[in-house]
Amino acid sequence: MSNIVEYNEQKASVNAYPERIVSPPHPGECCLSGMEQVGAVQEDGNWLFVYKRCRTCGYTVRHFLMMSPKALRTMREDILRSMN
Ligand SMILES: [Zn+2]
């Protein structure tokens, strides 16, 4: 899963999720209260995340939620194996 967010201060912000999102490189005051989830929960390696985008300026981040069920299962199996 590649990162679809492009940080660019020359371009206007674009929300073309799930193909791409163009975001300003830095958050502003507006981002403190204006972030909203874009699209569904995604998986990247061992982690689940959502894209969060500011309604006002378009600043976008990947917001990590928790380890994926698969990663947790693998971790549990490793722990059990190490106890045997
Ligand atoms: Zn903002």
Side-chain angles (χ1 to χ4, degrees):
M1 176 80 208
S2 62
N3 195 343
I4 62 168
V5 181
E6 176 191 346
Y7 292 99
N8 193 317
E9 55 191 330
Q10 262 84 50
K11 291 189 201 166
S13 70
V14 174
N15 179 8
Y17 179 89
E19 274 78 44
R20 77 196 173 95
I21 293 173
V22 178
S23 163
H26 305 291
E29 293 277 316
C30 52
C31 306
L32 292 174
S33 58
M35 301 298 275
E36 62 184 2
Q37 182 176 333
V38 178
V41 175
Q42 314 260 345
E43 194 173 326
D44 181 8
N46 293 334
W47 292 90
L48 301 181
F49 70 95
V50 291
Y51 288 104
K52 289 209 165 187
R53 184 170 189 271
C54 177
R55 253 179 254 128
T56 308
C57 70
Y59 179 72
T60 303
V61 289
R62 297 212 289 181
H63 178 77
F64 288 90
L65 303 169
M66 57 179 283
M67 289 184 83
S68 72
K70 200 176 81 189
L72 288 172
R73 201 159 50 235
T74 304
M75 200 166 69
R76 201 162 49 226
E77 284 165 5
D78 285 349
I79 292 168
L80 289 175
R81 230 193 324 273
S82 72
M83 293 191 307
N84 287 333

PDB file of all heavy atoms in Angstrom, residues 8-42:
ATOM      1  N   ASN A   8       2.699  19.344  -1.352  1.00  0.00           N
ATOM      2  CA  ASN A   8       3.164  20.292  -2.349  1.00  0.00           C
ATOM      3  C   ASN A   8       2.623  21.678  -2.025  1.00  0.00           C
ATOM      4  O   ASN A   8       1.414  21.872  -1.934  1.00  0.00           O
ATOM      5  CB  ASN A   8       2.666  19.822  -3.728  1.00  0.00           C
ATOM      6  CG  ASN A   8       3.355  20.557  -4.849  1.00  0.00           C
ATOM      7  OD1 ASN A   8       3.538  21.776  -4.795  1.00  0.00           O
ATOM      8  ND2 ASN A   8       3.742  19.820  -5.868  1.00  0.00           N
ATOM      9  N   GLU A   9       3.517  22.645  -1.841  1.00  0.00           N
ATOM     10  CA  GLU A   9       3.001  23.979  -1.515  1.00  0.00           C
ATOM     11  C   GLU A   9       2.719  24.820  -2.745  1.00  0.00           C
ATOM     12  O   GLU A   9       2.104  25.884  -2.646  1.00  0.00           O
ATOM     13  CB  GLU A   9       3.915  24.717  -0.528  1.00  0.00           C
ATOM     14  CG  GLU A   9       5.356  24.853  -0.915  1.00  0.00           C
ATOM     15  CD  GLU A   9       6.171  25.373   0.289  1.00  0.00           C
ATOM     16  OE1 GLU A   9       5.596  26.107   1.102  1.00  0.00           O
ATOM     17  OE2 GLU A   9       7.351  25.036   0.382  1.00  0.00           O
ATOM     18  N   GLN A  10       3.139  24.329  -3.917  1.00  0.00           N
ATOM     19  CA  GLN A  10       2.840  25.070  -5.152  1.00  0.00           C
ATOM     20  C   GLN A  10       1.428  24.783  -5.659  1.00  0.00           C
ATOM     21  O   GLN A  10       0.775  25.646  -6.218  1.00  0.00           O
ATOM     22  CB  GLN A  10       3.845  24.703  -6.256  1.00  0.00           C
ATOM     23  CG  GLN A  10       4.986  25.705  -6.400  1.00  0.00           C
ATOM     24  CD  GLN A  10       6.097  25.410  -5.405  1.00  0.00           C
ATOM     25  OE1 GLN A  10       6.534  24.283  -5.308  1.00  0.00           O
ATOM     26  NE2 GLN A  10       6.526  26.409  -4.649  1.00  0.00           N
ATOM     27  N   LYS A  11       0.990  23.527  -5.448  1.00  0.00           N
ATOM     28  CA  LYS A  11      -0.316  23.138  -5.988  1.00  0.00           C
ATOM     29  C   LYS A  11      -1.430  23.398  -4.986  1.00  0.00           C
ATOM     30  O   LYS A  11      -1.222  23.346  -3.784  1.00  0.00           O
ATOM     31  CB  LYS A  11      -0.310  21.643  -6.315  1.00  0.00           C
ATOM     32  CG  LYS A  11       0.567  21.269  -7.486  1.00  0.00           C
ATOM     33  CD  LYS A  11       0.311  19.795  -7.838  1.00  0.00           C
ATOM     34  CE  LYS A  11       1.454  19.202  -8.628  1.00  0.00           C
ATOM     35  NZ  LYS A  11       1.373  17.736  -8.689  1.00  0.00           N
ATOM     36  N   ALA A  12      -2.625  23.643  -5.520  1.00  0.00           N
ATOM     37  CA  ALA A  12      -3.808  23.734  -4.667  1.00  0.00           C
ATOM     38  C   ALA A  12      -4.118  22.342  -4.140  1.00  0.00           C
ATOM     39  O   ALA A  12      -3.805  21.346  -4.782  1.00  0.00           O
ATOM     40  CB  ALA A  12      -4.986  24.255  -5.471  1.00  0.00           C
ATOM     41  N   SER A  13      -4.740  22.284  -2.965  1.00  0.00           N
ATOM     42  CA  SER A  13      -5.033  20.978  -2.402  1.00  0.00           C
ATOM     43  C   SER A  13      -6.108  20.270  -3.220  1.00  0.00           C
ATOM     44  O   SER A  13      -7.021  20.897  -3.748  1.00  0.00           O
ATOM     45  CB  SER A  13      -5.451  21.107  -0.936  1.00  0.00           C
ATOM     46  OG  SER A  13      -6.714  21.721  -0.854  1.00  0.00           O
ATOM     47  N   VAL A  14      -5.936  18.966  -3.352  1.00  0.00           N
ATOM     48  CA  VAL A  14      -6.837  18.143  -4.161  1.00  0.00           C
ATOM     49  C   VAL A  14      -7.242  16.931  -3.352  1.00  0.00           C
ATOM     50  O   VAL A  14      -6.402  16.312  -2.701  1.00  0.00           O
ATOM     51  CB  VAL A  14      -6.113  17.654  -5.449  1.00  0.00           C
ATOM     52  CG1 VAL A  14      -7.001  16.684  -6.222  1.00  0.00           C
ATOM     53  CG2 VAL A  14      -5.709  18.814  -6.328  1.00  0.00           C
ATOM     54  N   ASN A  15      -8.527  16.602  -3.376  1.00  0.00           N
ATOM     55  CA  ASN A  15      -8.946  15.342  -2.798  1.00  0.00           C
ATOM     56  C   ASN A  15      -9.478  14.459  -3.906  1.00  0.00           C
ATOM     57  O   ASN A  15     -10.638  14.530  -4.277  1.00  0.00           O
ATOM     58  CB  ASN A  15     -10.017  15.571  -1.729  1.00  0.00           C
ATOM     59  CG  ASN A  15     -10.495  14.265  -1.125  1.00  0.00           C
ATOM     60  OD1 ASN A  15      -9.935  13.204  -1.385  1.00  0.00           O
ATOM     61  ND2 ASN A  15     -11.537  14.330  -0.329  1.00  0.00           N
ATOM     62  N   ALA A  16      -8.594  13.640  -4.470  1.00  0.00           N
ATOM     63  CA  ALA A  16      -8.998  12.682  -5.497  1.00  0.00           C
ATOM     64  C   ALA A  16      -8.855  11.276  -4.944  1.00  0.00           C
ATOM     65  O   ALA A  16      -8.416  10.361  -5.618  1.00  0.00           O
ATOM     66  CB  ALA A  16      -8.179  12.864  -6.763  1.00  0.00           C
ATOM     67  N   TYR A  17      -9.207  11.129  -3.647  1.00  0.00           N
ATOM     68  CA  TYR A  17      -9.181   9.829  -3.002  1.00  0.00           C
ATOM     69  C   TYR A  17     -10.036   8.855  -3.796  1.00  0.00           C
ATOM     70  O   TYR A  17     -11.117   9.231  -4.221  1.00  0.00           O
ATOM     71  CB  TYR A  17      -9.698   9.964  -1.570  1.00  0.00           C
ATOM     72  CG  TYR A  17      -9.730   8.661  -0.828  1.00  0.00           C
ATOM     73  CD1 TYR A  17      -8.629   8.236  -0.116  1.00  0.00           C
ATOM     74  CD2 TYR A  17     -10.864   7.858  -0.875  1.00  0.00           C
ATOM     75  CE1 TYR A  17      -8.652   7.025   0.554  1.00  0.00           C
ATOM     76  CE2 TYR A  17     -10.884   6.648  -0.220  1.00  0.00           C
ATOM     77  CZ  TYR A  17      -9.778   6.236   0.499  1.00  0.00           C
ATOM     78  OH  TYR A  17      -9.801   5.034   1.142  1.00  0.00           O
ATOM     79  N   PRO A  18      -9.664   7.602  -4.003  1.00  0.00           N
ATOM     80  CA  PRO A  18      -8.475   6.943  -3.452  1.00  0.00           C
ATOM     81  C   PRO A  18      -7.234   7.003  -4.365  1.00  0.00           C
ATOM     82  O   PRO A  18      -6.249   6.349  -4.049  1.00  0.00           O
ATOM     83  CB  PRO A  18      -8.948   5.492  -3.309  1.00  0.00           C
ATOM     84  CG  PRO A  18      -9.918   5.316  -4.432  1.00  0.00           C
ATOM     85  CD  PRO A  18     -10.562   6.655  -4.666  1.00  0.00           C
ATOM     86  N   GLU A  19      -7.293   7.761  -5.452  1.00  0.00           N
ATOM     87  CA  GLU A  19      -6.119   7.824  -6.335  1.00  0.00           C
ATOM     88  C   GLU A  19      -5.016   8.683  -5.738  1.00  0.00           C
ATOM     89  O   GLU A  19      -3.874   8.275  -5.642  1.00  0.00           O
ATOM     90  CB  GLU A  19      -6.491   8.359  -7.729  1.00  0.00           C
ATOM     91  CG  GLU A  19      -6.985   7.282  -8.682  1.00  0.00           C
ATOM     92  CD  GLU A  19      -8.424   6.899  -8.386  1.00  0.00           C
ATOM     93  OE1 GLU A  19      -9.239   7.824  -8.168  1.00  0.00           O
ATOM     94  OE2 GLU A  19      -8.741   5.697  -8.335  1.00  0.00           O
ATOM     95  N   ARG A  20      -5.359   9.907  -5.378  1.00  0.00           N
ATOM     96  CA  ARG A  20      -4.332  10.767  -4.811  1.00  0.00           C
ATOM     97  C   ARG A  20      -4.945  11.928  -4.048  1.00  0.00           C
ATOM     98  O   ARG A  20      -6.103  12.304  -4.274  1.00  0.00           O
ATOM     99  CB  ARG A  20      -3.378  11.284  -5.902  1.00  0.00           C
ATOM    100  CG  ARG A  20      -3.928  12.378  -6.727  1.00  0.00           C
ATOM    101  CD  ARG A  20      -3.168  12.592  -7.990  1.00  0.00           C
ATOM    102  NE  ARG A  20      -3.896  13.563  -8.794  1.00  0.00           N
ATOM    103  CZ  ARG A  20      -3.646  14.869  -8.807  1.00  0.00           C
ATOM    104  NH1 ARG A  20      -2.646  15.370  -8.139  1.00  0.00           N
ATOM    105  NH2 ARG A  20      -4.396  15.692  -9.512  1.00  0.00           N
ATOM    106  N   ILE A  21      -4.131  12.455  -3.154  1.00  0.00           N
ATOM    107  CA  ILE A  21      -4.513  13.634  -2.392  1.00  0.00           C
ATOM    108  C   ILE A  21      -3.326  14.585  -2.426  1.00  0.00           C
ATOM    109  O   ILE A  21      -2.201  14.170  -2.164  1.00  0.00           O
ATOM    110  CB  ILE A  21      -4.855  13.262  -0.934  1.00  0.00           C
ATOM    111  CG1 ILE A  21      -6.126  12.415  -0.878  1.00  0.00           C
ATOM    112  CG2 ILE A  21      -4.996  14.521  -0.083  1.00  0.00           C
ATOM    113  CD1 ILE A  21      -6.455  11.867   0.499  1.00  0.00           C
ATOM    114  N   VAL A  22      -3.567  15.825  -2.807  1.00  0.00           N
ATOM    115  CA  VAL A  22      -2.511  16.829  -2.725  1.00  0.00           C
ATOM    116  C   VAL A  22      -2.780  17.676  -1.491  1.00  0.00           C
ATOM    117  O   VAL A  22      -3.879  18.187  -1.305  1.00  0.00           O
ATOM    118  CB  VAL A  22      -2.466  17.726  -3.991  1.00  0.00           C
ATOM    119  CG1 VAL A  22      -1.385  18.791  -3.839  1.00  0.00           C
ATOM    120  CG2 VAL A  22      -2.235  16.893  -5.239  1.00  0.00           C
ATOM    121  N   SER A  23      -1.767  17.771  -0.643  1.00  0.00           N
ATOM    122  CA  SER A  23      -1.911  18.439   0.650  1.00  0.00           C
ATOM    123  C   SER A  23      -0.870  19.534   0.783  1.00  0.00           C
ATOM    124  O   SER A  23       0.243  19.395   0.277  1.00  0.00           O
ATOM    125  CB  SER A  23      -1.700  17.396   1.757  1.00  0.00           C
ATOM    126  OG  SER A  23      -1.447  18.017   3.000  1.00  0.00           O
ATOM    127  N   PRO A  24      -1.206  20.617   1.475  1.00  0.00           N
ATOM    128  CA  PRO A  24      -0.145  21.569   1.835  1.00  0.00           C
ATOM    129  C   PRO A  24       0.868  20.855   2.733  1.00  0.00           C
ATOM    130  O   PRO A  24       0.500  19.917   3.442  1.00  0.00           O
ATOM    131  CB  PRO A  24      -0.875  22.668   2.614  1.00  0.00           C
ATOM    132  CG  PRO A  24      -2.324  22.376   2.521  1.00  0.00           C
ATOM    133  CD  PRO A  24      -2.512  20.986   2.022  1.00  0.00           C
ATOM    134  N   PRO A  25       2.145  21.274   2.727  1.00  0.00           N
ATOM    135  CA  PRO A  25       3.157  20.552   3.492  1.00  0.00           C
ATOM    136  C   PRO A  25       3.036  20.719   5.008  1.00  0.00           C
ATOM    137  O   PRO A  25       3.557  19.890   5.757  1.00  0.00           O
ATOM    138  CB  PRO A  25       4.478  21.122   2.986  1.00  0.00           C
ATOM    139  CG  PRO A  25       4.140  22.389   2.291  1.00  0.00           C
ATOM    140  CD  PRO A  25       2.716  22.329   1.878  1.00  0.00           C
ATOM    141  N   HIS A  26       2.366  21.772   5.450  1.00  0.00           N
ATOM    142  CA  HIS A  26       2.290  22.011   6.891  1.00  0.00           C
ATOM    143  C   HIS A  26       0.854  22.292   7.322  1.00  0.00           C
ATOM    144  O   HIS A  26       0.101  22.914   6.580  1.00  0.00           O
ATOM    145  CB  HIS A  26       3.158  23.219   7.278  1.00  0.00           C
ATOM    146  CG  HIS A  26       4.576  23.070   6.818  1.00  0.00           C
ATOM    147  ND1 HIS A  26       5.423  22.139   7.368  1.00  0.00           N
ATOM    148  CD2 HIS A  26       5.259  23.707   5.843  1.00  0.00           C
ATOM    149  CE1 HIS A  26       6.591  22.229   6.746  1.00  0.00           C
ATOM    150  NE2 HIS A  26       6.526  23.161   5.816  1.00  0.00           N
ATOM    151  N   PRO A  27       0.495  21.839   8.515  1.00  0.00           N
ATOM    152  CA  PRO A  27      -0.849  22.126   9.021  1.00  0.00           C
ATOM    153  C   PRO A  27      -0.973  23.578   9.477  1.00  0.00           C
ATOM    154  O   PRO A  27       0.026  24.225   9.771  1.00  0.00           O
ATOM    155  CB  PRO A  27      -0.976  21.183  10.214  1.00  0.00           C
ATOM    156  CG  PRO A  27       0.414  20.957  10.674  1.00  0.00           C
ATOM    157  CD  PRO A  27       1.290  21.050   9.451  1.00  0.00           C
ATOM    158  N   GLY A  28      -2.195  24.081   9.516  1.00  0.00           N
ATOM    159  CA  GLY A  28      -2.464  25.428  10.021  1.00  0.00           C
ATOM    160  C   GLY A  28      -3.356  25.368  11.245  1.00  0.00           C
ATOM    161  O   GLY A  28      -3.703  24.292  11.723  1.00  0.00           O
ATOM    162  N   GLU A  29      -3.743  26.554  11.730  1.00  0.00           N
ATOM    163  CA  GLU A  29      -4.649  26.645  12.881  1.00  0.00           C
ATOM    164  C   GLU A  29      -5.948  25.877  12.628  1.00  0.00           C
ATOM    165  O   GLU A  29      -6.486  25.230  13.514  1.00  0.00           O
ATOM    166  CB  GLU A  29      -5.027  28.117  13.123  1.00  0.00           C
ATOM    167  CG  GLU A  29      -3.881  28.985  13.583  1.00  0.00           C
ATOM    168  CD  GLU A  29      -3.671  28.850  15.083  1.00  0.00           C
ATOM    169  OE1 GLU A  29      -4.682  28.867  15.807  1.00  0.00           O
ATOM    170  OE2 GLU A  29      -2.514  28.715  15.493  1.00  0.00           O
ATOM    171  N   CYS A  30      -6.404  25.959  11.386  1.00  0.00           N
ATOM    172  CA  CYS A  30      -7.687  25.349  11.023  1.00  0.00           C
ATOM    173  C   CYS A  30      -7.676  23.834  11.209  1.00  0.00           C
ATOM    174  O   CYS A  30      -8.724  23.222  11.422  1.00  0.00           O
ATOM    175  CB  CYS A  30      -8.027  25.693   9.578  1.00  0.00           C
ATOM    176  SG  CYS A  30      -6.701  25.323   8.408  1.00  0.00           S
ATOM    177  N   CYS A  31      -6.486  23.230  11.140  1.00  0.00           N
ATOM    178  CA  CYS A  31      -6.411  21.770  11.188  1.00  0.00           C
ATOM    179  C   CYS A  31      -6.708  21.218  12.576  1.00  0.00           C
ATOM    180  O   CYS A  31      -6.972  20.031  12.721  1.00  0.00           O
ATOM    181  CB  CYS A  31      -5.033  21.298  10.738  1.00  0.00           C
ATOM    182  SG  CYS A  31      -4.575  21.949   9.124  1.00  0.00           S
ATOM    183  N   LEU A  32      -6.629  22.062  13.602  1.00  0.00           N
ATOM    184  CA  LEU A  32      -6.866  21.580  14.960  1.00  0.00           C
ATOM    185  C   LEU A  32      -8.289  21.064  15.117  1.00  0.00           C
ATOM    186  O   LEU A  32      -8.534  20.106  15.824  1.00  0.00           O
ATOM    187  CB  LEU A  32      -6.611  22.705  15.977  1.00  0.00           C
ATOM    188  CG  LEU A  32      -5.153  23.139  16.097  1.00  0.00           C
ATOM    189  CD1 LEU A  32      -5.044  24.352  17.006  1.00  0.00           C
ATOM    190  CD2 LEU A  32      -4.300  21.999  16.628  1.00  0.00           C
ATOM    191  N   SER A  33      -9.238  21.706  14.439  1.00  0.00           N
ATOM    192  CA  SER A  33     -10.627  21.289  14.625  1.00  0.00           C
ATOM    193  C   SER A  33     -11.264  20.774  13.348  1.00  0.00           C
ATOM    194  O   SER A  33     -12.358  20.242  13.380  1.00  0.00           O
ATOM    195  CB  SER A  33     -11.446  22.467  15.159  1.00  0.00           C
ATOM    196  OG  SER A  33     -11.347  23.543  14.254  1.00  0.00           O
ATOM    197  N   GLY A  34     -10.587  20.930  12.219  1.00  0.00           N
ATOM    198  CA  GLY A  34     -11.260  20.648  10.954  1.00  0.00           C
ATOM    199  C   GLY A  34     -10.946  19.314  10.312  1.00  0.00           C
ATOM    200  O   GLY A  34     -11.352  19.075   9.179  1.00  0.00           O
ATOM    201  N   MET A  35     -10.217  18.414  11.018  1.00  0.00           N
ATOM    202  CA  MET A  35      -9.823  17.175  10.364  1.00  0.00           C
ATOM    203  C   MET A  35     -10.990  16.197  10.275  1.00  0.00           C
ATOM    204  O   MET A  35     -11.691  15.963  11.243  1.00  0.00           O
ATOM    205  CB  MET A  35      -8.672  16.500  11.133  1.00  0.00           C
ATOM    206  CG  MET A  35      -7.426  17.348  11.271  1.00  0.00           C
ATOM    207  SD  MET A  35      -6.633  17.813   9.714  1.00  0.00           S
ATOM    208  CE  MET A  35      -5.607  16.370   9.396  1.00  0.00           C
ATOM    209  N   GLU A  36     -11.168  15.615   9.100  1.00  0.00           N
ATOM    210  CA  GLU A  36     -12.197  14.584   8.965  1.00  0.00           C
ATOM    211  C   GLU A  36     -11.643  13.398   8.201  1.00  0.00           C
ATOM    212  O   GLU A  36     -10.731  13.527   7.388  1.00  0.00           O
ATOM    213  CB  GLU A  36     -13.441  15.132   8.278  1.00  0.00           C
ATOM    214  CG  GLU A  36     -13.210  15.609   6.862  1.00  0.00           C
ATOM    215  CD  GLU A  36     -14.450  16.244   6.249  1.00  0.00           C
ATOM    216  OE1 GLU A  36     -15.469  16.347   6.953  1.00  0.00           O
ATOM    217  OE2 GLU A  36     -14.391  16.628   5.079  1.00  0.00           O
ATOM    218  N   GLN A  37     -12.217  12.232   8.490  1.00  0.00           N
ATOM    219  CA  GLN A  37     -11.743  10.997   7.863  1.00  0.00           C
ATOM    220  C   GLN A  37     -12.079  10.976   6.383  1.00  0.00           C
ATOM    221  O   GLN A  37     -13.163  11.364   5.978  1.00  0.00           O
ATOM    222  CB  GLN A  37     -12.386   9.797   8.566  1.00  0.00           C
ATOM    223  CG  GLN A  37     -11.909   8.466   8.003  1.00  0.00           C
ATOM    224  CD  GLN A  37     -12.488   7.287   8.774  1.00  0.00           C
ATOM    225  OE1 GLN A  37     -12.809   7.405   9.957  1.00  0.00           O
ATOM    226  NE2 GLN A  37     -12.618   6.160   8.111  1.00  0.00           N
ATOM    227  N   VAL A  38     -11.116  10.518   5.570  1.00  0.00           N
ATOM    228  CA  VAL A  38     -11.337  10.352   4.135  1.00  0.00           C
ATOM    229  C   VAL A  38     -11.256   8.869   3.813  1.00  0.00           C
ATOM    230  O   VAL A  38     -10.240   8.230   4.054  1.00  0.00           O
ATOM    231  CB  VAL A  38     -10.254  11.096   3.326  1.00  0.00           C
ATOM    232  CG1 VAL A  38     -10.469  10.876   1.824  1.00  0.00           C
ATOM    233  CG2 VAL A  38     -10.264  12.583   3.643  1.00  0.00           C
ATOM    234  N   GLY A  39     -12.347   8.322   3.284  1.00  0.00           N
ATOM    235  CA  GLY A  39     -12.335   6.933   2.848  1.00  0.00           C
ATOM    236  C   GLY A  39     -12.371   5.957   4.001  1.00  0.00           C
ATOM    237  O   GLY A  39     -12.635   6.317   5.146  1.00  0.00           O
ATOM    238  N   ALA A  40     -12.091   4.703   3.672  1.00  0.00           N
ATOM    239  CA  ALA A  40     -12.209   3.618   4.637  1.00  0.00           C
ATOM    240  C   ALA A  40     -10.877   3.368   5.341  1.00  0.00           C
ATOM    241  O   ALA A  40      -9.860   3.944   4.977  1.00  0.00           O
ATOM    242  CB  ALA A  40     -12.660   2.353   3.918  1.00  0.00           C
ATOM    243  N   VAL A  41     -10.925   2.507   6.344  1.00  0.00           N
ATOM    244  CA  VAL A  41      -9.706   2.115   7.050  1.00  0.00           C
ATOM    245  C   VAL A  41      -8.804   1.316   6.099  1.00  0.00           C
ATOM    246  O   VAL A  41      -9.265   0.459   5.364  1.00  0.00           O
ATOM    247  CB  VAL A  41     -10.062   1.267   8.293  1.00  0.00           C
ATOM    248  CG1 VAL A  41      -8.796   0.754   8.979  1.00  0.00           C
ATOM    249  CG2 VAL A  41     -10.898   2.083   9.257  1.00  0.00           C
ATOM    250  N   GLN A  42      -7.523   1.648   6.102  1.00  0.00           N
ATOM    251  CA  GLN A  42      -6.548   1.016   5.221  1.00  0.00           C
ATOM    252  C   GLN A  42      -5.546   0.243   6.052  1.00  0.00           C
ATOM    253  O   GLN A  42      -5.399   0.482   7.243  1.00  0.00           O
ATOM    254  CB  GLN A  42      -5.759   2.085   4.452  1.00  0.00           C
ATOM    255  CG  GLN A  42      -6.571   3.171   3.856  1.00  0.00           C
ATOM    256  CD  GLN A  42      -6.812   2.952   2.378  1.00  0.00           C
ATOM    257  OE1 GLN A  42      -6.149   2.134   1.753  1.00  0.00           O
ATOM    258  NE2 GLN A  42      -7.759   3.675   1.845  1.00  0.00           N
TER     259      GLN A  42
END
